[in-house]
C-alpha cells in the first residue's frame, strides 16, 4: 500500500460501519496520536495480514474487535520505526513461508501490548499492487509505497 491521507467514504452506513474503506487510520489511533497516547517511534508496532472475514470499520478500537478467523498471520514486529514530517515509516515486514487457503486481502498495523483486548488498532490497508493475493508458501513482503515515504501521515 502507499501513503494514504484520509478522505470521505461514500455509501450507506450500517450501524457504526461505513461501507468499504480501503486505507485508513482508525479513529482511536488518531485520538491516541493527538493526545500523546501512542508514540510511533517507541511503541511495539506489529503487522498482520487479513482475509475477507473482517469488515473494516473506522470505529474498531482493539485487535479483539477483529474476528480471530480473519487473521492469516499476525505478530510480525515492525523494525526501524521512524517519523518525518508526520509520515510514519518502518522497515517493510517479511512474512516467511506463508501459505493460506484464503486470499490475503489487507495489511493491519497495531500496537502490541500482549493482550488483544487492549492492543490498539492503528492502520488498515487493502489497496496497492498485489491485493488480494493467494499466499502459496513463499516469503512475502507487504509494505508502503517508498515514493511516498511511509505507511501513513498523522
Amino acid at each position: 500500500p502507499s501513503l494514504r491521507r484520509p478522505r470521505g467514504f461514500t455509501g450507506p452506513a450500517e450501524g457504526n460501519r461505513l461501507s468499504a474503506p480501503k486505507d485508513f487510520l482508525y479513529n482511536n489511533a488518531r485520538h491516541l496520536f493527538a493526545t500523546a497516547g501512542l508514540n510511533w517511534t517507541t511503541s511495539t508496532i506489529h503487522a498482520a495480514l487479513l482475509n475477507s472475514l473482517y469488515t473494516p470499520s473506522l470505529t474498531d478500537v482493539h485487535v479483539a474487535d477483529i474476528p480471530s478467523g480473519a487473521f492469516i498471520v499476525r505478530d510480525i514486529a515492525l523494525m526501524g520505526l521512524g517519523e518525518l514530517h508526520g509520515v510514519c515509516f518502518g522497515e517493510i515486514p517479511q512474512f516467511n513461508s506463508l501459505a493460506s487457503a484464503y486470499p490475503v486481502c489487507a495489511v493491519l498495523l497495531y500496537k502490541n501490548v500482549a493482550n488483544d483486548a487492549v492492543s490498539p488498532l492503528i492502520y488498515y490497508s487493502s489497496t496497492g499492487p498485489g491485493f488480494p493475493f493467494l499466499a502459496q508458501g513463499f516469503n512475502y513482503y507487504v509494505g508502503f509505497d517508498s515514493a511516498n515515504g511511509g505507511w501513513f501521515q498523522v
Side-chain angles (χ1 to χ4, degrees):
S2 61
L3 174 72
R4 301 287 190 238
R5 290 184 174 81
R7 53 185 157 232
F9 301 114
T10 59
E14 294 180 32
N16 288 330
R17 304 234 178 238
L18 298 176
S19 65
K22 301 291 183 190
D23 302 279
F24 61 89
L25 278 172
Y26 287 90
N27 290 343
N28 184 61
R30 290 185 183 287
H31 169 75
L32 292 173
F33 280 122
T35 60
L38 179 60
N39 184 323
W40 177 261
T41 59
T42 61
S43 295
T44 303
I45 307 298
H46 281 202
L49 297 178
L50 304 173
N51 62 34
S52 63
L53 295 179
Y54 173 55
T55 302
S57 173
L58 292 163
T59 60
D60 286 340
V61 175
H62 299 107
V63 172
D65 294 334
I66 298 175
S68 60
F71 289 94
I72 292 175
V73 63
R74 58 179 289 178
D75 294 327
I76 305 299
L78 269 66
M79 307 303 289
L81 298 175
E83 175 275 333
L84 182 62
H85 306 296
V87 177
C88 296
F89 60 87
E91 294 175 14
I92 294 174
Q94 179 177 345
F95 299 90
N96 294 323
S97 302
L98 181 62
S100 173
Y102 296 100
V104 175
C105 295
V107 63
L108 171 77
L109 303 181
Y110 61 95
K111 179 179 177 181
N112 186 351
V113 291
N115 181 339
D116 288 350
V118 294
S119 292
L121 299 169
I122 299 173
Y123 177 72
Y124 174 92
S125 178
S126 63
T127 63
F131 278 127
F133 67 91
L134 188 58
Q136 298 178 341
F138 301 104
N139 295 346
Y140 293 90
Y141 296 85
V142 177
F144 55 84
D145 181 347
S146 60
N148 290 316
W151 289 99
F152 55 86
Q153 185 173 20
V154 290

